[in-house]
Amino acid sequence: MRGRVGGSKIVVVIVDDHELFAQGLALLLTREWGELFTVGGQTTYVEEAADLVAGCDADVAIIDLTMPPLGGVAAIRHVKARHPRTRILALSGTDDLTLAEEALRAGADGFLPKTARPEALAGPLWTIAEGLCVVDSAVLHALLSNTRRPPRRCWTPCPTRTCGCGRCWRPGWRPPTSRRGCWCPNAPPSGWWPHYYTSSA
């Protein structure tokens, strides 16, 4: 990683209701990567996020998603509405993929779980500040898998069990041809395996 042209530092703000985590992260950024980042401030309140960004003209805001009562997604919307150029890294200590998706749709430029080592955040922060997006690989695979998977209500058990695993599902609708698609959930994280069987019905 390198600093910005002209030697200016990346201004970071932290929005997190866990004060010990926020203070520890601020200290880590200042001590270990002080040549790249400067912490412009931190708050434990969602309502103060947009004003905090404005007060120091922050380049990146780190926002915890599980902040009561409004939640981190609301903070992301407020910041993006008032300061669209500020980049946002969303963090969460839960495995709620719906929350991660909501954060990305609200305007977050990256998402990482809080289980990630704090010292591993420097790279993603720099990458986001440079205009790219960062998403944890496990979260990305899960989101893509859910996107590819048809609604369960549209599927019925596959009587032929083409792949032999016994856990296939086929669509409850019939395509124009006699070939019906069968999807097997017993697949690698990258997606579902398609199987086909021929029906004369």
Side-chain angles (χ1 to χ4, degrees):
M1 293 183 294
R2 66 184 188 281
R4 290 183 164 182
V5 177
S8 61
K9 296 182 180 181
I10 298 169
V11 181
V12 178
V13 296
I14 303 171
V15 183
D16 196 314
D17 63 329
H18 296 90
E19 291 190 51
L20 289 179
F21 177 86
Q23 291 171 1
L25 181 56
L27 185 62
L28 190 65
L29 290 174
T30 302
R31 284 188 176 180
E32 300 296 328
W33 303 293
E35 72 281 1
L36 292 175
F37 306 104
T38 182
V39 178
Q42 58 190 72
T43 181
T44 59
Y45 298 102
V46 171
E47 300 87 344
E48 296 178 356
D51 289 336
L52 179 64
V53 169
C56 59
D57 193 21
D59 299 301
V60 181
I62 301 173
I63 299 179
D64 176 32
L65 295 181
T66 55
M67 296 179 62
L70 299 178
V73 174
I76 292 172
R77 292 195 181 103
H78 292 166
V79 170
K80 280 296 185 180
R82 292 177 54 184
H83 313 285
R85 293 184 180 180
T86 297
R87 311 284 290 174
I88 295 177
L89 173 61
L91 299 179
S92 177
T94 73
D95 295 327
D96 188 349
L97 294 180
T98 301
L99 192 59
E101 183 176 359
E102 288 179 359
L104 294 171
R105 290 184 181 278
D109 302 288
F111 172 85
L112 290 175
K114 276 190 172 180
T115 53
R117 293 178 295 111
E119 58 269 22
L121 290 177
L125 278 175
W126 181 85
T127 301
I128 288 174
E130 290 297 305
L132 300 177
C133 296
V134 174
V135 179
D136 178 75
S137 59
V139 173
L140 179 61
H141 287 158
L143 291 175
L144 289 176
S145 179
N146 286 339
T147 300
R148 294 169 180 168
R149 183 180 304 181
R152 193 62 178 264
R153 57 184 170 78
C154 298
W155 296 67
T156 57
C158 172
T160 62
R161 297 173 181 172
T162 311
C163 70
C165 77
R167 294 193 297 142
C168 291
W169 293 81
R170 67 175 174 82
W173 48 269
R174 181 178 178 179
T177 66
S178 62
R179 287 171 60 83
R180 295 185 181 182
C182 168
W183 288 82
C184 174
N186 187 23
S190 59
W192 287 27
W193 286 317
H195 302 280
Y196 292 93
Y197 67 91
T198 301
S199 171
S200 58

